[in-house]
């Protein structure tokens, strides 16, 4: 029907049913999009995905071609290196008029590979949902993961606009905000605002760690600022290995620019012009949107289901304040009038988020860690 969301009545395949693939499955099922959601993964992962009602049918990687054969839309959600490996087979086996997309965190290598293996009648559009969590696997899948998130689309030059727009409409149905750019623009921006901060956090913690070991620097002194700035130093290497290997040149360029910027600050440390640097950074920091998930990793988050009645948020906030728990970020994700909605709250540490879940569950709310 004309007003149906795109792919509403089509088979949709998700290759790699992990955190992102599983979240796509749950989001699609929650919205009633797709005649069936087909997962392609290892048997163990498929079993977990069935149990969580993420997929309607499952195939192992050995049967990849059977899994995607009927799908009008294929999401590639494995680690980047596996997306690169599988693209030729997927593009070769996809049905005529299928749209193949991926969720990999870098785009140039993936889109170039897709272009090199392009097949008439099969469309490819690169994608990167700017949402995630430090958890992995289908067990952490979340139907609301993409809400209010930027979702980058990097179409190949010859992908028809109508096909890109169809995917953009689906992304909007998830509650995300599609943003079109070229793969190179994406990778350079991601290097600046996501990959460089990861390299900075990793190198800063390593430097302080070595000083602690070699000189007995009292690392226990590390408090607010150091913790905030280095939270992402706990990220798993596996995902970052693929990101760094497929985006090395832009990351090196950003590291060089950062070294220049740090040198400028170094020479200004005891000079008046340091004040200008602080004022400029304050102004730019204030312009970073707070209402969307972006390139930076989110805080430790919880989700709370709340009734649609006046005073709910005030009661939640009072309950947490009573236990001296500070909410760093709060957002109403989806409201169904008369039924209620989901409230996302962010906290600056995992233990704080766990305490918040405890306290709110005791107060009678349906609440869980995200
Ligand atoms: P994940 O939870 O670990 O899921 C990855 C899935 O890929 C697994 O379920 C796994 O399925 C499958 N897989 C196939 N070959 C694999 C291999 N050699 N090693 C590991 N897993 C393999 O990871 P994810 O966070 O969903 O990330 C998937 C993709 O999304 C990546 O390309 C990443 O760059 C991108 N991404 C991640 C985030 C984030 O914050 N996590 C955000 C945006 C985009 P089986 O268990 O069946 O093998």
């Amino acid at each position: 029907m004309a007003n149906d969301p795109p792919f509403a009545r089509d088979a949709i395949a998700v290759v790699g049913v992990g955190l992102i693939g599983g979240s796509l499955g749950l989001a699609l099922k929650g919205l009633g999009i797709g005649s069936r959601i087909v997962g392609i993964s290892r048997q163990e992962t498929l079993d977990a995905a069935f149990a969580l009602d993420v997929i309607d049918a499952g195939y192992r990687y050995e049967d990849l071609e059977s899994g995607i054969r009927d799908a009008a839309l294929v999401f590639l959600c494995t680690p980047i290196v596996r997306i690169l490996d599988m693209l030729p087979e997927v593009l070769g086996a996809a049905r005529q008029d299928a749209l193949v997309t991926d969720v990999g965190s870098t785009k140039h290598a993936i889109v170039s590979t897709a272009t090199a293996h392009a097949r008439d009648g099969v469309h490819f559009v690169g994608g990167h949902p700017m949402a995630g969590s430090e958890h992995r696997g289908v067990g952490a899948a979340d139907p609301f993961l993409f809400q209010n998130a930027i979702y980058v689309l990097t179409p190949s030059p010859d992908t028809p606009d109508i096909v890109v727009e169809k995917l953009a409409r689906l992304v909007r149905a998830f509650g995300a905000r599609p943003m079109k750019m070229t793969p190179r623009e994406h990778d350079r921006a991601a290097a600046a605002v996501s990959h460089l901060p990861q390299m900075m956090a990793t190198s800063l913690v390593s430097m302080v760690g070595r000083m602690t070991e070699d000189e007995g620097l009292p690392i226990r002194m590390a408090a607010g600022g150091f913790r905030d700035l280095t939270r992402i130093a706990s990220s798993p290497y596996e995902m970052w290995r693929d990101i760094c290997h497929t985006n090395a040149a832009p990351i090196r360029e950003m590291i060089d620019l950062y070294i220049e910027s740090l040198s400028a600050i170094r020479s200004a440390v005891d000079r008046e012009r340091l004040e200008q640097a602080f004022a400029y950074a304050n102004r730019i920091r204030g312009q970073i949107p707070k209402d969307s998930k972006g390139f930076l990793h989110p805080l430790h988050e919880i989700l709370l289901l709340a009734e649609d009645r006046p005073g709910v948020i005030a009661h939640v906030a009072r309950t947490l304040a009573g236990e001296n728990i500070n909410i760093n970020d709060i957002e109403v994700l989806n409201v169904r009038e008369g039924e209620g909605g989901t409230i996302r709250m962010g906290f600056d540490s995992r233990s704080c988020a766990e305490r918040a879940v405890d306290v709110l569950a005791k107060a009678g709310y349906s609440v869980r860690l995200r």
Side-chain angles (χ1 to χ4, degrees):
M1 280 195 284
N3 289 334
D4 275 355
F7 306 102
R9 285 143 202 272
D10 294 310
I12 300 176
V14 175
V15 183
V17 192
L19 168 72
I20 302 288
S23 299
L24 283 169
L26 286 177
L28 290 164
K29 279 171 148 267
L31 292 163
I33 297 178
S35 60
R36 58 182 195 142
I37 310 299
V38 182
I40 294 103
S41 257
R42 286 178 305 128
Q43 189 60 50
E44 205 183 315
T45 304
L46 293 174
D47 292 344
F50 277 121
L52 293 165
D53 202 20
V54 170
I55 54 173
D56 303 306
Y59 291 82
R60 290 184 298 184
Y61 294 110
E62 302 86 276
D63 302 320
L64 176 71
E65 294 192 8
S66 312
I68 65 170
R69 188 178 295 139
D70 298 329
L73 174 64
V74 181
F75 282 102
L76 300 178
C77 305
T78 58
I80 298 169
V81 169
R82 289 285 291 136
I83 294 175
L84 293 171
D85 283 348
M86 282 192 286
L87 257 172
E89 188 182 353
V90 169
L91 292 171
R95 76 173 212 200
Q96 276 292 307
D97 274 338
L99 169 52
V100 178
T101 183
D102 76 293
V103 299
S105 303
T106 62
K107 298 273 53 95
H108 177 67
I110 290 174
V111 176
S112 304
T113 304
T115 307
H117 293 88
R119 217 188 94 211
D120 275 353
V122 175
H123 307 292
F124 182 81
V125 178
H128 181 197
M130 310 296 310
S133 103
E134 36 275 351
H135 304 295
R136 314 278 302 275
V138 68
D142 172 357
F144 304 123
L145 188 71
F146 310 108
Q147 290 206 345
N148 296 320
I150 299 288
Y151 197 124
V152 175
L153 297 178
T154 60
S156 310
D158 42 5
T159 310
D161 287 349
I162 192 168
V163 173
V164 184
E165 190 42 41
K166 199 170 172 187
L167 185 57
R169 275 175 55 217
L170 180 67
V171 162
R172 281 187 212 104
F174 292 150
R177 305 175 194 183
M179 189 185 263
K180 278 181 236 168
M181 57 179 83
T182 67
R184 289 243 187 245
E185 282 166 348
H186 168 275
D187 286 1
R188 197 160 182 274
V193 303
S194 170
H195 309 167
L196 175 64
Q198 180 64 47
M199 300 303 115
M200 287 161 57
T202 301
S203 60
L204 178 58
V205 172
S206 303
M207 182 193 96
V208 170
R210 275 193 297 274
M211 288 173 74
T212 307
E213 283 172 13
D214 298 348
E215 305 168 21
L217 184 101
I219 198 170
R220 277 177 301 166
M221 261 176 63
F226 188 82
R227 276 183 167 277
D228 288 352
L229 195 68
T230 59
R231 183 165 50 89
I232 52 178
S234 310
S235 303
Y237 171 64
E238 291 74 28
M239 190 169 97
W240 282 95
R241 177 192 54 212
D242 283 13
I243 290 174
C244 293
H245 286 186
T246 53
N247 204 29
I251 295 174
R252 286 207 180 94
E253 181 198 347
M254 293 308 150
I255 291 175
D256 289 343
L257 288 173
Y258 185 62
I259 290 170
E260 270 177 39
S261 177
L262 207 51
S263 295
I265 288 275
R266 183 182 187 281
S267 63
V269 165
D270 53 358
R271 304 272 189 276
E272 285 303 311
R273 64 176 191 278
L274 185 65
E275 188 178 349
Q276 289 159 24
F278 268 68
Y280 181 72
N282 266 271
R283 186 160 63 73
I284 298 296
R285 179 75 171 77
Q287 290 170 9
I288 297 176
K290 295 189 184 67
D291 63 340
S292 75
K293 300 169 196 167
F295 281 86
L296 292 176
H297 288 257
L299 296 162
H300 297 267
E301 293 176 334
I302 70 171
L303 294 175
L304 175 136
L305 292 178
E307 279 176 68
D308 185 17
R309 64 172 167 80
V312 170
I313 293 181
H315 183 254
V316 167
R318 267 201 313 275
T319 306
L320 292 176
E323 293 296 322
N324 208 18
I325 298 172
N326 185 38
I327 307 169
N328 292 82
D329 194 14
I330 184 163
E331 177 187 14
V332 179
L333 289 181
N334 58 334
V335 182
R336 292 171 292 273
E337 225 170 294
E339 269 181 67
T342 306
I343 299 171
R344 177 185 68 82
M345 282 171 278
F347 301 86
D348 66 2
S349 71
R350 169 116 186 147
S351 62
C352 214
E354 283 170 347
R355 271 206 313 129
V357 167
D358 221 6
V359 167
L360 291 169
K362 281 187 186 132
Y365 288 99
S366 167
V367 60
R368 66 172 176 87
L369 285 172
R370 185 170 198 176

